[in-house]
Amino acid sequence: MSAALLELDRVGRTFGGVRAVHDVSLKIQEGEIVGLIGPNGAGKTTLINAITGVPPPTSRRLRYRGTAIGHKKPNHIAALGLARTFQVVQPFPDMTVLENVMAGSLFAGGSASMADARDAAREQLEFTGLAPLADRPASKLTLANRKRLELAKSLAMRPKLLLLDEVNAGLNSAEVNQALELIGKIRARGITILIIEHLLKVVLTLCPRIVVLHHGELIADDAANDVVRDPKVIEAYLGSKFAERYGARHG
Amino acid sequence: MRRNFLILLIGLIVLAPVPFLTDTYVLRLGTTALMYVSLSLAWNMIGGFAGYPSFGMAAFFGLGAYASGILQVNGFAGPVGWIGAGLVGLAFALALGAVVLRLRGHAFAIATLVVAEVLKEITNAWNSLTGGGMGLNMPYQKMDPIAGARIYFYAMLACATISLAATILVAGSKLGFALRTIKQNEDAASMVGVNTTTAKVIAFALSGALGALVGGVYTSWINFIEPADVYDPLFSIKPIVMVLLGGSGTVFGPVLGAAAFLLLDEIVWRNFLETHTGILGLVIVLLILFLPKGLGSLSWPRLLQRSAR
């Protein structure tokens, strides 16, 4: 079997005496789309932060395409093809939408010049449907469009692996459907995705494989159908009501 | 970028004949103005583009002044002293930047504020090299006063030109783009692959080298330097006020701001001899409150339209 695209070997992150993430081991293969779920405060975002290096993990056994990245700085990790979106969107507020996306293509997407970066950014704006808003300042966008901007910026980095942190939080159902469609198109480009998501509908639609984090530890890592039946997961996160309904619907 | 260089060229053509059209008093004002234009542009590199509020300009200015002075006292020609000053400033800023740029916001401001004080004390104490508190006299040069005034006007004009050219180049480059992302959101900048440390250190080094170069020329112009004069905190503060006045993080804002500040200073000083600092301060506070993005952000066509109505 070939080496995994991303491999976590007992990765941890402590804040003072608090173990936010503890002993998480995980492999993601090229081309996969994996859902990461768990209750609030389970350490999902902390785990993604640890992978991308801000702040770095306290136990650093991370390998990306076979190279150790636990000690690398965030900008090096980004340049290797690992991009992320933020749950609380992090645009460059006073720059235009186009400039925001240009930053991604210029510093991690391999664009040789400013002009190249601008072209590459326009392409991503077309892809995400933000092209009509290219010259607006990022601070003037609606939440749904800011989330799209996060995606466009990450895509401009030409990632191999995309870490999506709650891209659907705060969106209404029509917006969620649009976002789902977009994620589907990103997958079709062959980009591997790890997605944190609270909406089970989204996770179950997108992800054949789900991992569950609870109190900073991995309590399940399996096919989606098995994970939602796992008693530990039901107790920690899904609740018995969900299990009953899901069971009734899917047998 | 081409447009900006064109504006710079036009500015140079306008200013070039000035020394032959005026007296030494106006030349002295002009030289002072060009000095502050250069210092404002230097501060804008780190404070305007990267958004790091440095209070360290006096440290670089004073260090450059002394580097130039010490070289000249030891027999080197003025221009050698100036280049030496720029290089010393560059080296010092690289070393200092690698340490203090780990701090952000207020902590960074305080850290840079104390550097000038430390250098001043060292200069005071190191009698054998710097002349200590007695100051340093430049070697006497027999020169016609008007010829001297012209030479130093052109020398400061050269400093301002170098500073503005560097600013135009940075603003249009990948480095300038990186600095803007750092100013807006440093963590997000590193996430999109910006090497934030390198970008900040380069901006700080450019800022320091330019500030020290200006200090180096100042020594030759004034002929006598002492620690309390060249490490004066006002050399840190005035450029900041000027940049805020003109437009922080823009190319021509610092130029506009320095000119506007000195003009205001002159007008207020002439009319309110006793209370001029207070009134100047008030005017600046009002301007910054009501024009937070600086004079450069005014839309002149719209203003004219409104006043015509």
Side-chain angles (χ1 to χ4, degrees):
Chain A
M1 196 177 115
S2 66
L5 183 65
L6 181 72
E7 189 177 346
L8 277 61
D9 178 22
R10 286 163 291 152
V11 166
R13 169 75 216 190
T14 57
F15 293 101
V18 181
R19 292 193 302 198
V21 169
H22 182 57
D23 264 0
V24 171
S25 298
L26 184 65
K27 279 184 187 174
I28 296 176
Q29 303 294 335
E30 190 141 10
E32 266 195 298
I33 174 162
V34 179
L36 173 58
I37 63 172
N40 289 331
K44 304 183 294 291
T45 296
T46 307
L47 183 64
I48 284 200
N49 287 347
I51 295 171
T52 48
V54 192
T58 21
S59 45
R60 300 158 180 259
R61 282 174 294 265
L62 276 98
R63 298 179 86 76
Y64 170 75
R65 306 175 91 188
T67 17
I69 56 166
H71 295 83
K72 289 205 194 297
K73 288 175 62 179
N75 58 303
H76 291 141
I77 295 173
L80 286 172
L82 234 150
R84 71 168 296 181
T85 66
F86 288 88
Q87 177 179 7
V88 179
V89 290
Q90 303 274 348
F92 304 118
D94 292 339
M95 292 165 96
T96 65
V97 168
L98 179 68
E99 286 174 324
N100 265 272
V101 181
M102 266 178 77
S105 47
L106 191 58
F107 298 109
S111 291
S113 69
M114 300 284 276
D116 276 359
R118 195 167 290 124
D119 292 343
R122 288 211 185 277
E123 206 175 292
Q124 299 308 330
L125 289 179
E126 289 295 337
F127 182 77
T128 50
L130 284 173
L133 305 171
D135 297 323
R136 292 269 180 92
S139 57
K140 296 273 187 276
L141 296 184
T142 61
L143 179 64
N145 280 333
R146 274 188 232 185
K147 298 251 174 186
R148 263 171 200 242
L149 177 58
E150 284 280 305
L151 270 176
K153 200 160 78 174
S154 316
L155 288 173
M157 294 163 66
R158 303 213 166 285
K160 289 262 180 310
L161 173 63
L162 190 54
L163 308 168
L164 302 178
D165 192 353
E166 302 229 1
V167 278
N168 295 313
L171 303 190
N172 65 35
S173 62
E175 291 166 343
V176 167
N177 285 335
Q178 285 173 350
L180 265 176
E181 198 183 309
L182 192 56
I183 296 170
K185 273 162 57 185
I186 295 170
R187 272 227 69 196
R189 287 182 162 192
I191 297 172
T192 309
I193 298 175
L194 175 66
I195 178 170
I196 297 184
E197 186 52 74
H198 270 300
L199 299 171
L200 276 169
K201 175 188 135 190
V202 173
V203 185
L204 292 171
T205 319
L206 288 172
C207 309
R209 174 182 161 207
I210 295 178
V211 294
V212 187
L213 217 52
H214 183 48
H215 291 319
E217 295 186 39
L218 210 60
I219 58 167
D221 174 0
D222 217 329
N225 275 328
D226 296 329
V227 166
V228 293
R229 290 196 178 82
D230 187 325
K232 271 188 299 184
V233 178
I234 291 168
E235 192 198 340
Y237 183 50
L238 300 174
S240 50
K241 276 224 174 98
F242 172 87
E244 277 166 32
R245 269 191 292 153
Y246 187 83
R249 224 182 301 151
H250 298 267
Chain B
M1 199 191 287
R2 190 176 290 171
R3 201 185 115 246
N4 288 344
F5 273 117
L6 202 65
I7 296 175
L8 169 59
L9 191 67
I10 293 170
L12 283 177
I13 292 171
V14 171
L15 288 176
V18 166
F20 295 96
L21 302 173
T22 53
D23 56 13
T24 44
Y25 174 71
V26 176
L27 273 186
R28 194 180 170 80
L29 279 184
T31 310
T32 308
L34 289 167
M35 180 175 95
Y36 278 110
V37 164
S38 314
L39 289 178
S40 298
L41 286 163
W43 185 82
N44 190 44
M45 289 275 179
I46 186 72
F49 286 141
Y52 268 69
S54 167
F55 279 78
M57 195 48 75
F60 297 116
F61 183 86
L63 189 68
Y66 265 95
S68 161
I70 290 166
L71 281 169
Q72 291 186 58
V73 167
N74 288 295
F76 289 95
V80 177
W82 308 341
I83 294 168
L87 292 177
V88 169
L90 182 74
F92 184 67
L94 281 173
L96 182 66
V99 181
V100 296
L101 287 165
R102 291 162 192 272
L103 304 169
R104 291 186 190 180
H106 303 105
F108 174 79
I110 299 292
T112 52
L113 185 61
V114 298
V115 177
E117 285 302 308
V118 171
L119 289 180
K120 185 165 90 182
E121 288 314 314
I122 293 174
T123 313
N124 261 325
W126 200 341
N127 257 312
S128 56
L129 186 69
T130 64
M134 296 289 288
L136 208 55
N137 259 310
M138 290 309 103
Y140 176 71
Q141 281 171 329
K142 199 168 160 17
M143 204 192 284
D144 181 30
I146 183 79
R150 282 174 186 155
I151 288 174
Y152 292 113
F153 180 88
Y154 283 124
M156 278 301 179
L157 185 60
C159 289
T161 306
I162 294 168
S163 306
L164 187 55
T167 302
I168 294 172
L169 287 174
V170 168
S173 72
K174 202 170 162 175
L175 172 65
F177 200 97
L179 295 173
R180 283 174 65 203
T181 64
I182 290 170
K183 181 181 189 171
Q184 305 255 312
N185 187 336
E186 189 165 344
D187 285 332
S190 69
M191 284 292 182
V192 295
V194 177
N195 191 335
T196 51
T197 315
T198 309
K200 286 185 297 185
V201 171
I202 293 175
F204 196 62
L206 281 172
S207 176
L210 291 172
L213 171 70
V214 177
V217 175
Y218 176 85
T219 301
S220 305
W221 178 35
I222 300 297
N223 260 315
F224 170 74
I225 50 173
E226 58 176 340
D229 175 29
V230 295
Y231 289 114
D232 188 342
L234 277 177
F235 283 120
S236 293
I237 293 162
K238 276 190 183 175
I240 301 177
V241 175
M242 290 168 177
V243 172
L244 292 179
L245 202 58
S248 184
T250 62
V251 173
F252 292 106
V255 181
L256 196 63
F261 180 97
L262 294 169
L263 199 69
L264 276 176
D265 193 26
E266 189 72 14
I267 293 171
V268 173
W269 178 77
R270 280 188 188 180
N271 293 307
F272 306 92
L273 210 51
E274 299 280 315
T275 49
H276 107 274
T277 352
I279 292 180
L280 183 66
L282 200 66
V283 171
I284 289 164
V285 167
L286 288 175
L287 271 173
I288 288 173
L289 270 179
F290 289 105
L291 260 183
K293 286 187 176 169
L295 293 167
S297 68
L298 281 175
S299 161
W300 293 105
R302 210 191 311 159
L303 272 183
L304 291 176
Q305 238 173 27
R306 205 182 293 172
S307 57
R309 221 179 283 154

